[in-house]
Amino acid sequence: MEKAYKLLALQEGISNRAAKDLIDRGVVYAAGKKVSVARGELSSSTKFKVEKIAPIKVIFEDEFIMAVDKPAFMTSEEVAEIKKLPLLHRLDRETSGVLLLTKDDEFRQKAVIAFKKREVQKEYLAIVEAKIVEAMEINAPIMTIKKGNTAYSKISSEGKEAISHVEPLMYEGKRSKIKVRIETGRTHQIRVHLKSIGASILGDTEYGGRPHKRLMLHASKIMLLGYIFQTKEPEDFIKFSV
């Protein structure tokens, strides 16, 4: 028996640190299951499969703003570092979709004000573990507890106002594909709100979802200061049989 990241490093011919990073990202599998604990002990004969991270796609760019389609398993900060531009907002590492970076300080200030005034519209797609057949509004305050580089949110009367609008797109059995429009941008808002109605997102083990190859949440559309940025539905959402 040996630690997973050390075995992966040997198999891939990479450093222990690089191997640990791949496991922490959630792209390493063994025997068809995601390896989630880098320091977990596995048989020395374990064979790993490493999923490739999709490239960053630029959706739109002008002198003020850049909109990209962020792949799952990459942090927003990594995108900013690669593109050498400051972020306007963030997406969770496993969430794919529209991410905005700014190229002009004056425009950035206008955008920040628009976010604060709730003049920005954001839409997401999600696969959830519940049968959603009617549109609904979830209005429940959210409190976020931050420790180091991690954050966990929960519904609390002491939290900040949070409003999400849910619209069913299709369902089969006990799973549904839905569209979620958010009026506020609290940390993990969609994940927490959907958990609160018994509809955790597939792959969202932190908030009650079953294990899956990724968090099935995609930022599909943002409307900001006259701009409309939209991405195509990811292949894993199209191919996924709900």
Side-chain angles (χ1 to χ4, degrees):
M1 301 290 283
E2 182 58 273
K3 287 184 171 59
Y5 73 92
K6 290 185 178 180
L7 293 172
L8 178 64
L10 283 172
Q11 177 184 295
E12 297 295 307
I14 56 179
S15 69
N16 285 345
R17 184 175 179 179
K20 186 176 183 299
D21 179 63
L22 287 172
I23 293 172
D24 289 344
R25 282 180 187 276
V27 296
V28 179
Y29 294 80
K33 293 183 178 181
K34 184 182 288 189
V35 179
S36 55
V37 182
R39 294 182 178 277
E41 302 224 330
L42 296 173
S43 166
S44 57
S45 62
T46 299
K47 300 296 182 185
F48 298 97
K49 179 183 177 184
V50 181
E51 292 281 342
K52 289 186 177 180
I53 299 173
I56 302 166
K57 296 178 183 176
V58 177
I59 302 167
F60 177 85
E61 181 179 7
D62 64 11
E63 66 268 37
F64 303 112
I65 193 167
M66 176 186 286
V68 303
D69 188 352
K70 184 188 86 64
F73 307 113
M74 183 178 288
T75 67
S76 298
E77 289 75 13
E78 286 172 319
V79 175
E81 189 176 333
I82 291 168
K83 293 300 182 182
K84 295 180 172 60
L85 291 172
L87 292 165
L88 190 52
H89 65 117
R90 286 171 174 78
L91 296 175
D92 293 339
R93 178 164 59 189
E94 285 196 23
T95 302
S96 56
V98 183
L99 182 68
L100 304 180
L101 305 99
T102 54
K103 302 173 74 174
D104 178 85
D105 287 340
E106 187 177 340
F107 179 86
R108 177 181 177 80
Q109 292 303 316
K110 289 179 182 177
V112 168
I113 291 169
F115 270 101
K116 287 181 178 178
K117 290 184 175 180
R118 300 186 186 177
E119 294 172 349
V120 180
Q121 290 191 42
K122 293 194 282 185
E123 293 181 2
Y124 292 74
L125 295 175
I127 303 291
V128 298
E129 299 190 85
K131 188 174 179 178
I132 305 292
V133 296
E134 293 183 354
M136 68 183 81
E137 176 185 295
I138 305 173
N139 188 338
I142 290 175
M143 173 188 286
T144 300
I145 300 99
K146 295 184 178 180
K147 289 184 180 180
N149 294 325
T150 63
Y152 183 82
S153 296
K154 63 180 181 179
I155 290 176
S156 169
S157 58
E158 298 176 11
K160 295 181 179 179
E161 183 184 28
I163 302 170
S164 304
H165 300 272
V166 177
E167 179 185 328
L169 298 176
M170 62 184 292
Y171 70 85
E172 184 176 305
K174 295 181 180 179
R175 288 179 179 168
S176 306
K177 182 186 291 185
I178 61 173
K179 179 168 72 175
V180 184
R181 179 173 61 82
I182 57 175
E183 288 189 27
T184 50
R186 308 304 175 203
T187 301
H188 299 172
Q189 176 174 323
I190 295 174
R191 299 164 66 183
V192 174
H193 272 177
L194 291 174
K195 178 188 177 183
S196 76
I197 62 168
S200 293
I201 301 172
L202 183 62
D204 191 6
T205 54
E206 190 173 6
Y207 292 101
R210 293 181 186 230
H212 193 61
K213 65 177 183 178
R214 61 162 286 197
L215 173 71
M216 294 299 280
L217 182 63
H218 177 74
S220 58
K221 187 176 183 180
I222 294 183
M223 290 178 277
L224 164 78
L225 298 175
Y227 290 92
I228 300 176
F229 305 111
Q230 194 160 6
T231 61
K232 292 181 180 178
E233 188 173 355
E235 281 190 21
D236 50 1
F237 276 70
I238 295 170
K239 292 179 180 178
F240 186 81
S241 175
V242 299

